[in-house]
Amino acid sequence: MTADYKVLGDVAVITMNNPPVNGLGHATRLALADGLSKANADGAVKAIVITGAGKAFSGGADIKEFGTHKALAEPNLLSVIIAVENSAKPVVAAMHSVAMGGGLEPALGCHYRIAAPGTSVALPEVKLGLIPGAGGTQRLPRVLGVETALNMIVGGDPVKSELLASLPGQKLFDKMSASAESLAEEAVAFAQSVADTRPLPLVRNLPCKHPQGDAYFQFARNMVKGMAKNFPAPVKCVDIIEMATRNKFDEGMRLEREIFTNLMLTPESRALRHIFVAERAASKIPDVPEDTPKREIKSIAVIGAGTMGGGISMNFLNAGIPVKMLEMKQEALDRGLATIRKNYESQVKKGKLKQDKYEQRMALLTTTLSYDDLKDADMVIEAVFEEMGVKEKVFKELDRVMKPGAILASNTSTLDVDQIAEFTKRPQDVIGTHFFSPANVMKLLEVVRGKKTGKDVLATVMALGKKIKKTSVVSGVCDGFIGNRMIEQYSRQAGFLLDEGCTPQQVDKAVEKFGFAMGPFRMGDLAGNDIGWAIRKRRAQERPNMLYSRTADKLCELGRFGQKTSAGWYDYQAGKRDAIPSDLVNKMIEDHRKELGITPRKISDEEIVQRLVYSLVNEGAHILEDGIATKASDIDMVYLTGYGFPVFRGGPMLYADQVGLFNVVQSMKRFQKNPRDDASFWEPAPLLARLTAEAKSFS
Ligand code: NAI
């Protein structure tokens, strides 16, 4: 049972009890329906209160049941709401804390509603690419008016009960309780006060109109269309609310169901639901149970106050955790400190940060030139130059000074964390924390688990990631970890496209049309082409047989490192970021093509996108097979939060699933005939080949 039933005097109280948020999964729905039957059959009961135990009235439908038979199994949400509406005895919803989505909809079916102050009320289905599917679109406008309901349903964000209760003419709440604590008692008293009222009021019988009708909905639709871009659901929210004003209630309900079901099948909704689940799944590590003991992290030390060290420090200052930064020279410390100040000051100027908050954060930051000052820190994050020799020196120092039990983390983006761990006598305490630039902005944190990293260390760093509001994804040790290992194949493929006939702008445009925030060449110019150059030089020694296009090296030989040198794949005007196509670069690419003896051909946007995205997919499959990532959805989270992969496509692995792995492999086989791809590039990873043969998918 996931609801408790008790009778207080002549009032039956049904308390949903399905932690953590009383999700309306099948068992909870069944318990609600049973409670209603029991109360109606009991002659001693005159009225009924429905409420929720613990931290919520109800957080909504149980997302784990989406797409399974349980989601629709009777009694489904609609049947429960009909049972509420049809109850011969008045039903009062006693709402507190959270009443959202499929949790709010049954309350809207109740005859009366009483809410505690501070209750978050929302219909957030649009965030999953859907519209509310159990009458929310038909009932909310009837109790809050069309405009308020439309704003809430299109935006999906929670609104506090006291704000809604203050709206003139609102019929959402019949009463507000004095406090959250007194809600239960007040709800029972309220139920007693309406026990004999007949006929029972129903939201479905209220009128639903907007005085400006057509003009208002036209305006709303235009606004929403502009904002929704690649997502169909927001405009459908407008449509269905307009239908609520034009149709009888039951016809509105039928239309709601029809639109809901159609949206459920869209790739955009599938992507958003996938991300919702993937985000939560990322923190679950198969062999590290949630109750793994964690170490206490009350202070952080950061080695290196450069680009990354500064941004990393800000994350902790923002979370109220003191940081001590170490550098080799005072000038470097001063520079790092000035950058942090500048960042915060620009937030203050924009009104995003209050002056006193800024000062509080800066007060948590101290600096030092001496390792001995770090000995009390609970965790240290190294962000010095990307050279193994430098890392070795730093980690030997850290091993010497840090207190026992301190966590020693490296922000290395390509080096072997296991080798770094061996520089210390405590490899179990060493871990990789790979932040993305700018580290105070980017959501992604790749948590690199070394061979010897302790489970408690991993659990601690994952929890810390949550505290600083990152999306943390665990990666095993390999060159580039998850994200950069995949981007290497993507970059190689981008180079081959140039060799075969594309211009950088053609490739970028195709990929940006697909939905990427930035194409590979604009991205290179932003990040600095010299960084990739240095990595390729190192890799050329480790993997001399790996074939690359030479164009990127030639570009760097010309000193065209990107925006920082006002010239890269594109030209840049001083102080501006607009990428202007460069004749010089295009000529360089043509000349190189001639050297290779390749006759250029026109390559379609579709082929460009497939070659780039499938190179990610195939490497992703290798990464899964090698155990570097434990789930395909982790790879998607890395790409969505760290590499600008279009959200409405749900990440590379889900995208491949949606295209169909068979189709992906067929395209890859076609690409094997390209002049620049050595056959091995498009050899399907064993996992991809196996899943395709078994007609399976990554998810
Ligand atoms: P950076 O060159 O901006 O900063 C490095 C800082 O470390 C400099 O201020 C330098 O003075 C200091 N430093 C060097 N040796 C030191 C030592 N022995 N003791 C104390 N301080 C020392 O470099 P950046 O970009 O911040 O990179 C740092 C690390 O983060 C590297 O491992 C890099 O691969 C990694 N990383 C960089 C990203 C980026 O986009 N820049 C992204 C993700 C990781």
Side-chain angles (χ1 to χ4, degrees):
M1 278 306 257
T2 44
D4 307 322
Y5 181 91
K6 67 181 174 200
V7 179
L8 297 174
D10 50 7
V11 176
V13 179
I14 306 170
T15 307
M16 295 177 273
N17 192 355
N18 181 20
V21 293
N22 301 321
L24 283 163
H26 182 240
T28 313
R29 301 195 301 268
L30 205 58
L32 262 180
D34 282 350
L36 285 165
S37 306
K38 206 156 140 190
N40 270 287
D42 183 345
V45 169
K46 292 187 115 184
I48 302 157
V49 168
I50 296 178
T51 192
K55 290 195 291 191
F57 173 75
S58 170
D62 196 335
I63 191 133
K64 290 195 293 295
E65 291 189 354
F66 269 8
T68 73
H69 71 284
K70 279 195 167 174
L72 298 174
E74 288 286 0
N76 61 32
L77 200 50
L78 286 166
S79 309
V80 171
I81 296 170
I82 290 171
V84 173
E85 278 192 328
N86 288 347
S87 166
K89 300 171 184 177
V91 184
V92 180
M95 301 152 75
H96 65 90
S97 316
V98 171
M100 287 193 191
L104 176 61
E105 286 172 307
L108 290 169
C110 290
H111 305 111
Y112 301 97
R113 285 158 297 281
I114 167 168
T119 307
S120 293
V121 179
L123 287 175
E125 287 77 359
V126 72
K127 299 195 178 200
L128 299 177
L130 300 169
I131 62 169
T137 66
Q138 304 302 297
R139 289 193 179 90
L140 201 65
R142 285 178 158 83
V143 292
L144 286 179
V146 165
E147 289 192 25
T148 304
L150 188 137
N151 287 331
M152 284 181 71
I153 293 172
V154 167
D157 292 324
V159 183
K160 289 290 177 207
S161 50
E162 52 272 35
L163 178 61
L164 293 171
S166 73
L167 298 176
Q170 69 84 20
K171 298 189 177 66
L172 176 56
F173 305 125
D174 298 280
K175 186 176 159 60
M176 292 292 288
S177 71
S179 67
E181 293 70 34
S182 65
L183 175 71
E185 203 177 309
E186 288 189 56
V188 170
F190 182 85
Q192 274 159 343
S193 75
V194 295
D196 298 322
T197 306
R198 296 295 182 279
L200 290 167
L202 287 176
V203 172
R204 62 157 65 222
N205 296 332
L206 296 172
C208 186
K209 285 214 166 44
H210 189 283
Q212 275 92 43
D214 288 350
Y216 170 73
F217 284 107
Q218 199 48 48
F219 158 78
R221 195 171 285 112
N222 287 343
M223 285 284 283
V224 170
K225 226 180 225 160
M227 278 153 48
K229 294 208 178 85
N230 296 303
F231 294 97
V235 174
K236 293 288 177 196
C237 293
V238 178
D239 291 349
I240 188 62
I241 295 172
E242 180 170 22
M243 290 173 197
T245 65
R246 299 207 189 290
N247 293 281
K248 294 235 165 66
F249 182 84
D250 286 326
E251 176 61 5
M253 288 295 288
R254 192 191 66 72
L255 291 165
E256 181 192 82
R257 186 97 307 244
E258 192 177 296
I259 295 175
F260 178 88
T261 312
N262 287 339
L263 283 173
M264 198 75 172
L265 299 174
T266 58
E268 293 83 2
S269 172
R270 187 166 168 206
L272 290 174
R273 282 179 281 132
H274 171 73
I275 295 168
F276 183 89
V277 175
E279 205 162 12
R280 283 150 187 81
S283 61
K284 300 200 168 66
I285 309 158
D287 64 329
V288 182
E290 268 168 53
D291 58 359
T292 303
K294 295 174 191 69
R295 300 187 190 180
E296 206 171 17
I297 306 294
K298 286 194 178 153
S299 61
I300 299 276
V302 173
I303 315 293
T307 310
M308 295 306 288
I312 291 170
S313 299
M314 287 176 74
N315 284 296
F316 296 99
L317 302 176
N318 297 350
I321 302 172
V323 175
K324 188 161 275 179
M325 274 196 321
L326 177 140
E327 265 285 352
M328 292 180 297
K329 294 206 177 93
Q330 188 61 41
E331 299 89 84
L333 272 182
D334 294 343
R335 224 178 307 125
L337 209 58
T339 308
I340 294 179
R341 269 190 203 290
K342 211 175 92 201
N343 266 323
Y344 277 137
E345 273 161 16
S346 107
Q347 290 179 24
V348 171
K349 259 194 211 125
K350 288 182 196 149
K352 288 185 184 158
L353 182 69
K354 294 233 166 72
Q355 181 72 26
D356 59 335
K357 272 262 164 69
Y358 160 47
E359 279 157 22
Q360 277 167 22
R361 287 177 190 182
M362 286 309 293
L364 293 171
L365 180 62
T366 50
T367 59
T368 182
L369 296 170
S370 159
Y371 276 90
D372 290 309
D373 284 344
L374 307 181
K375 60 180 188 299
D376 294 328
D378 297 317
M379 175 168 171
V380 54
I381 302 175
E382 163 278 309
V384 302
F385 300 140
E386 185 76 342
E387 283 167 38
M388 199 50 111
V390 185
K391 307 276 187 203
E392 176 172 3
K393 268 194 212 129
V394 170
F395 273 82
K396 285 191 166 150
E397 270 302 281
L398 292 176
D399 195 23
R400 181 181 70 78
V401 297
M402 299 305 291
K403 69 180 178 190
I407 293 177
L408 316 183
S410 172
N411 186 51
T412 178
S413 38
T414 52
L415 299 175
D416 183 343
V417 173
D418 288 328
Q419 196 182 338
I420 293 175
E422 292 307 326
F423 297 142
T424 74
K425 290 186 223 48
R426 37 175 137 173
Q428 75 282 358
D429 295 340
V430 176
I431 193 165
T433 47
H434 184 213
F435 287 84
F436 286 70
S437 182
N440 54 320
V441 177
M442 295 293 288
K443 284 289 281 177
L444 179 61
L445 175 63
E446 275 184 326
V447 176
V448 185
R449 179 182 190 173
K451 272 198 199 77
K452 295 187 181 164
T453 303
K455 287 185 183 180
D456 60 334
V457 170
L458 186 59
T460 304
V461 172
M462 291 302 280
L464 192 64
K466 198 175 259 177
K467 195 156 185 190
I468 59 171
K469 302 201 173 86
K470 297 289 178 196
T471 298
S472 308
V473 176
V474 178
S475 169
V477 176
C478 67
D479 191 351
F481 313 127
I482 296 173
N484 285 342
R485 174 166 158 183
M486 284 164 71
I487 210 84
E488 187 191 359
Q489 302 311 323
Y490 174 92
S491 305
R492 285 178 68 208
Q493 195 52 232
F496 296 154
L497 284 164
L498 299 186
D499 291 349
E500 289 174 35
C502 290
T503 60
Q505 47 275 27
Q506 192 194 349
V507 174
D508 283 348
K509 244 167 114 185
V511 173
E512 286 159 20
K513 211 166 84 198
F514 175 78
F516 265 97
M518 229 182 258
F521 299 107
R522 284 215 297 139
M523 188 67 181
D525 278 358
L526 178 71
N529 296 311
D530 51 323
I531 294 178
W533 195 25
I535 294 173
R536 282 194 302 280
K537 281 183 198 158
R538 174 173 63 75
R539 282 184 182 148
Q541 290 172 354
E542 292 166 9
R543 290 178 273 160
N545 296 327
M546 180 80 89
L547 183 67
Y548 282 97
S549 164
R550 279 269 303 137
T551 47
D553 296 346
K554 283 174 178 278
L555 190 80
C556 290
E557 283 156 16
L558 295 172
R560 298 184 67 105
F561 294 162
Q563 288 188 19
K564 60 182 162 189
T565 55
S566 294
W569 293 105
Y570 297 90
D571 290 330
Y572 296 88
Q573 286 169 344
K576 291 201 180 153
R577 287 171 180 267
D578 308 293
I580 305 161
S582 158
D583 291 341
L584 186 141
V585 170
N586 289 343
K587 172 88 173 35
M588 178 199 88
I589 294 167
E590 272 169 36
D591 290 347
H592 181 57
R593 218 176 269 144
K594 277 185 201 141
E595 280 170 34
L596 293 170
I598 294 176
T599 314
R601 76 179 165 94
K602 170 114 185 61
I603 300 178
S604 71
D605 285 0
E606 190 190 4
E607 181 177 337
I608 292 172
V609 167
Q610 286 187 356
R611 285 170 63 174
L612 290 175
V613 175
Y614 296 171
S615 54
L616 293 176
V617 171
N618 202 38
E619 193 61 24
H622 280 297
I623 282 173
L624 276 174
E625 186 121 54
D626 295 351
I628 297 299
T630 53
K631 324 180 238 336
S633 65
D634 281 358
I635 296 176
D636 286 336
M637 286 319 293
V638 166
Y639 263 76
L640 290 162
T641 56
Y643 294 83
F645 198 92
V647 171
F648 66 97
R649 301 197 189 272
M653 309 311 270
L654 183 80
Y655 179 71
D657 280 351
Q658 301 228 53
V659 169
L661 298 189
F662 175 83
N663 296 324
V664 172
V665 169
Q666 290 302 305
S667 299
M668 287 171 62
K669 285 188 178 153
R670 265 201 322 277
F671 302 150
Q672 282 178 340
K673 301 189 184 80
N674 290 334
R676 288 295 279 152
D677 290 332
D678 49 345
S680 70
F681 191 103
W682 289 116
E683 185 64 36
L687 175 68
L688 178 56
R690 203 163 60 240
L691 290 174
T692 306
E694 293 168 4
K696 288 187 178 157
S697 67
F698 288 117
S699 49

